Each structure stands twice: as C-alpha cells, then as structure tokens.
Amino acid sequence: MTRPLKILARVIAYGLFITFIVGFSNWPTYQHLAPDQATVKLSFQVAGELKQPCRQRSAEEIAEMAPNMRLLDDCPRERLPVDVVLKLDNQVLIDERLPPSGLKKDGVSVIYRHLSVPAGDHEVALRIRNSAHNQGHDIEKSIAITLKPAQVLVIELDNKDGTIVFQ
Amino acid sequence: MINLLQTLIRGPFDVVERVFSAVFSPNANPFLFLGTLSFYFFWIVAISGIYLYIFFETSISGAYDSIEYLTHTQWYLGGIMRSMHRYASDAMAVTVTLHLLREFSLDRYRGARWFSWITGAPLLWLLFASAIGGYWLVWDVLAQYIAVTTSEWLDWLPIFNSPMARNFLNEASVDDRLFSLLVFLHIGIPLALLAGMWIHIQRVSHSKTIPPRGLALGSLGAFLAMAIAKPALSQAPANLDVTVTNVGLDWFYLNIYPLFDLWSVEGVWLLLIAITIILMLLPWLPPLKKQPTAVVDPNFCNGCQRCYVDCPFGAITMKPHDFRPGHQQAVVNADQCTSCGICAGACPSSTPFRRVDELVSGIDLPQLTVQTMRSNTDDAIAALSESPRIVVFNCQHGAELSTLKSSSVALISLPCIGMLPPSFVDYVLRRERVDGVLITGCPPEKCYHRLGSVWTEQRVEGTREPHLRTKAAKARLRIRWAMPHEAENVKREVRHYQLELARDLSSSDTEQGSTSRD
C-alpha cells in the first residue's frame, strides 16, 4: 500500500469511527410513551392497624417476668396488611394487599406503581383499608380529571390528616 | 459450542485486524490495543470530568444551568471538554466490549488466566454505572427518564425501606441533596472502576496501558473532531410533572433501558444476572486441562532473572538461593503458570551445546524438558534423507503443520515458540546438519501466550537475551508467523524456502567444483 493510499485509508477509518460513535451516541431517539398517553403514579406508605389489640397482663404473668421487664400491657407489634384498590372509569387498575414491612411485620405498608393511561377525561377512585373491618374502606376518594398527554397524576396519601391527595 | 462461537467471532476479527494492520501497521493497529485504549480513554474521561466538576453546581436548578453555561457560554473549552467526556466514554464502551470478545475468541481466558477474566466482569457493571450516573447529573429529560427508570429498576432489590422511585414522583419530590449524592457516586464509582482495572492487570506482566503515540494522538484528534462536529448537548430541562415521551438515548450505555418498557423489571434483572453469571463461569466451561507447570532446579539456577522478566503472567518471583549465599533463585507460582515454557527458552542453561549426559535446565517444563527437546531434534534431523533439509520449530497454538513432516522437513512442536532457546538454531545448523531453519507460531499480536513471538523476534534480532550465537544462523533462519487457519501459507513458505536453498546449494556446489578444477 502506497503512503498516500495509507493516509487516505486512515482518514476513512477515523471518519468511520467518528460517525459510529457520534451516531449511536445520539440516534435514534426512543419513544418511551405514546403521544396520546398520560401517567398515573400511585405511591404512599401507611401503617396498618395492629393485628391484635393490647391486653392487660394478669398478676401471675407479671410476676413471672423479670423485674425490669414488667409492663402492664402486652401489645403485639405485628400489623395488618393494607388493601388498596385503584379504579379508572370504574375499571380496576390495581387491587393489591400490601404486607407490612419489617422482619416482625411491624412496619408501614408501602406501594409505588406507575401506569400509562389514555389522556382525556377520567374518573379516578382510590380506596384504602388498613384496619380489620371486613366491609368498606377506611380511606377513599374519587375525582373527575382531564389528563393532558404526558401529564403525570400523582396519587398520594397525606399521612398527617390521612386524606388521599391527587396532584 | 464454545469452539464454534470462538471461530464465529474470530473470523470477522481476523479480517478487520488484517485490514487495519495494512492501514495503520501492526504497531498502531487499534484492534491490537483494545485494552490499552480502554485505559487511555478512561484517562481522557477522568481529566475532562475533573474540569467539568469545577463548574458543576450540585442543585436542581444549578445542575442544568451550570452545564448549559459550560456548553454554550464556555463552548471553546467547557463545551469541548463535555463532548470529549461523553465521546471518550462511548468509545471506552466499544473498546471494552471488543476487548472482551477478542480475548474470548482467542481462548485467552481459561486456565491460569481466569483471574483477569473474572476481575473483568464486575468492571462492566462499574463502567455502566459510572456512565449512567453521569447522564443523571445533567438533569435534562434524559436524566429524568434514567432517574425514574433506574430507581424503579433498583426498587426490585429488597434493600430499600421506602421505594427509591418515590424521590421522583413529581417536581416537589426532588431536593438538592440528591445532587450531592449523585456527584459523590459519579466520582466514587469511576474510582472503584480504576481500582478494578488495576486489579484486572495484576497477573499480566508487561501490560500496556499507554497506547502508541500515533494511536493516542489520532484518537484524541477524533474526539476533538466529534466535539466540534456534533457537540454534546443537553435535552430539555427535566420536569417531573410531565412524563418523558421521546428521548435521545446514548445507545452505548443506555441500550438496556427500552427493555423496561417491553419486559418486567424481574425479566431485565434475570437477563443481566444470567449474562454476568455466564461470563464469570466461562473460564470453566469447560476448564482448561492443567498441564504440569515449570519446575526450578536450584543446582542450575544462577538467579539471572531472565525467566522472571520474560514470564508473561508474572508467575515467577525471585528468592534467596537455597544453598548459594548471596545469590537468587527463581520460584514458580503454579497457580499463575500457563505452562508455556517461555521461562525455559529464556534460561541461559537451556543450551543444547552443553556436554552433559543429562541436560537439565535451571527452569524446565516436566512434560517437555530441554533434554527431550534436544533428543527430539537430534532424532528428527537424523531421519532426514533428502536435501535441502529444513527444521521447522512451531508453536502448537499456531498453524497445524503435522502433514509438513517429510524426508526433507523435520518438525519440532513446542507449547509456545518463546520456549525455543535461540541456541537451538545454532545447534541444528552446526556442521551443516540441516540447510535452513524456519520458526513459526501465532503472530505477535495474537500470541496465545501473549509474548512468546515478541520475545523470539527480539532474541533473534539480538535485542533480548538469550541471543543467537552466530551470524550464519541468522542468515539461514526464517520466521513466518501464522494463525491456525493459515497452515497453507506456512507450507508454501517452506516450499519456497527449500527451492531457494536448493538453488544456493547447487550454486555453491558449482563454485566448489570450479575452484577444485582450478
């Protein structure tokens, strides 16, 4: 290979290298969400009620305990799971039972889900039950909303006053 | 299966390497310096990153603005640095991937080499984590897309008390402290990567971490050209109240992300964990049959350190001699020894001229001692009956030449051509026992044992001990490197060499005849 030919070949090689790196570093673009879709994010953490109520220990039970451990009330730490139902236009999107966190199952129940939904007018309803009642929900709220394309609707729980927040 | 895969990968590499060697010369062929270039690109990324860090503001609004300032207001330096930071990172992903594929295709990852392979696998995770963290810092829509997807990805691991993705619910969820954490990670992970790269080459002696000057300047110039032609730019500022719809991806590092829209998070984890486990297990799928390793005989080891210097895998160390005060002695670490025999080829006592009943070298391979090499060579030469007679010393990892043996060609096979002490060439040519010698083995850039062919060339040229002893030997010696599939080229070379020798012999016979008539 002659020297001018070598130089030309090197220029071509570097040109290909530049094109390859710049090309795949920028293109093609990726369509993550269709243009007519919006996103609903459901996320909260809430503590279920204690699985068993506190009870008073008997005098015999207290006598059997070490002196420094003698507490009048016996309060089991385990909490109940939390049931959550999210509906969009009366269609169930999420229906889950969230277990309490922690090795002793005494922590809060946590959820994070994101869903793609068509943009437009919707009725969104969230129901949460964190107690042992067999019927109905402890917290529930529904709203009518118009979702713009790509809008993010965040559904959270305000733990201070226990209300559901749509934002 | 593995062999087939290696052949399929090696084929394209062979073609591309041949073309690039013709264009750049083998001394500056980028495909022969893939690991070296990865180190070099890392330093470009590190130096440009340090410059960018000086101007980077670790806050939600400051992050994007400070990078915009660098890109547009200070385009002549900050913008160039940003682009080089990005494109050198991308190039590093390419060289690292090609390096992995090439070493796999050349079967240079099993046996004693498991350490370099295994330590390379976690580096892939660290490299990708470093790059992904960098994109996060820009805090544009790409960063937003990565932040949300990565946090949802990591939330699958049962290590977070509260989902990490809750930090990116909407604009109100993010705070400035996050950027301090991200900067810390974007410095810490690359430092861990550098430490891992250092560990990766610990069992590879004479490793090259600085590329040839031409290649270094050429690639630096290429990054500069990229920075000018297509500067790295931010996309629109992040806004967590709006979902990212269309986003420009860096496909070198973010190629896994679209999978999250197609598969479940579990599926992506399964894929990545499976790839990592297969990579880690490869050196034992199947394991390389362990050969007896080199053995030192203190009676003949004079502590010259040649084997210690020449071992390509750092398997030899020196210690005080067992019974010669003030002298040193070689020690072989069997776990690191690949049984290549390069140490025996380097040993000054591995000379066939020694007049002893039992030829013992200071360091020797039990399965092919220097004594056995000498007797095999003597036997093979004795069996030659036709002129011109040639001895071919070949490496078992180079071209397959068993059919080359004939009444005029003797073939001596070695585990690596670097095992051949040059004195063997002088030995077979003395008293005109043979007319010529041909040395063949894997090409230096693809030497199975890394440095066997390089050391042999240097020993023949006289720039590395031990040297050829006579000028006559140099004149009657040919070297022809060849890959396993290039056996025909070697055979053709042998035939041509024999024809040349035959011409030389007949002309010298004629000269002798005319001299005697005079």
Side-chain angles (χ1 to χ4, degrees), chain B residues 295-297 299-308 310 316 330 341-352 354 359-365 370 418-424 459 465-467:
Chain B
V295 175
V296 176
D297 187 328
N299 291 304
F300 296 95
C301 178
N302 66 3
C304 69
Q305 299 194 353
R306 283 186 199 167
C307 56
Y308 163 72
D310 279 6
I316 296 171
I342 287 176
C343 48
C347 184
S349 61
S350 299
T351 169
R354 282 171 57 203
L359 176 57
V360 180
S361 178
I363 188 162
D364 229 337
L365 279 189
V370 175
M419 186 184 178
L420 179 72
S423 50
F424 265 76
R459 288 168 187 168
E465 293 284 1
H467 298 169

Side-chain angles (χ1 to χ4, degrees), chain B residues 192-345:
Chain B
L193 173 64
L194 179 62
M197 286 159 68
W198 177 75
I199 292 167
H200 181 58
I201 56 168
Q202 279 310 293
R203 289 196 179 182
V204 179
S205 55
H206 304 277
S207 55
K208 288 180 188 158
T209 55
I210 301 169
R213 197 196 303 177
L215 205 52
L217 291 174
S219 47
L220 195 67
F223 294 135
L224 197 61
M226 291 181 211
I228 293 165
K230 178 74 177 84
L233 301 174
S234 303
Q235 299 180 40
N239 178 1
L240 285 164
D241 293 334
V242 178
T243 305
V244 174
T245 51
N246 209 23
V247 63
L249 285 190
D250 178 341
W251 292 93
F252 293 108
Y253 285 108
L254 307 175
N255 45 49
I256 201 84
Y257 280 76
L259 273 185
F260 290 102
D261 291 337
L262 301 170
W263 296 2
S264 63
V265 174
E266 292 87 344
V268 179
W269 270 115
L270 195 67
L271 174 74
L272 295 176
I273 290 169
I275 290 173
T276 309
I277 290 175
I278 290 170
L279 274 180
M280 302 279 261
L281 290 179
L282 262 184
W284 296 276
L285 295 174
L288 196 66
K289 196 177 169 196
K290 180 81 176 162
Q291 297 288 327
T293 54
V295 175
V296 176
D297 187 328
N299 291 304
F300 296 95
C301 178
N302 66 3
C304 69
Q305 299 194 353
R306 283 186 199 167
C307 56
Y308 163 72
V309 172
D310 279 6
C311 177
F313 302 100
I316 296 171
T317 48
M318 303 302 293
K319 68 162 193 175
H321 201 281
D322 283 349
F323 46 80
R324 284 186 198 141
H327 284 76
Q328 284 192 309
Q329 174 189 319
V331 184
V332 177
N333 179 348
D335 290 338
Q336 287 177 240
C337 177
T338 60
S339 312
C340 62
I342 287 176
C343 48

Side-chain angles (χ1 to χ4, degrees), chain A residues 61-107:
Chain A
E61 281 177 305
I62 290 171
E64 283 173 14
M65 295 170 78
N68 62 323
M69 301 290 281
R70 286 174 183 167
L71 285 175
L72 200 59
D73 289 335
D74 174 20
C75 295
R77 291 162 61 179
E78 188 174 344
R79 293 186 177 276
L80 289 167
V82 173
D83 294 329
V84 55
V85 178
L86 177 70
K87 286 185 180 177
L88 183 82
D89 303 327
N90 272 329
Q91 275 197 319
V92 176
L93 296 183
I94 294 170
D95 184 358
E96 288 186 33
R97 171 160 287 190
L98 312 175
S101 57
L103 293 173
K104 298 279 185 188
K105 295 180 180 174
D106 57 345

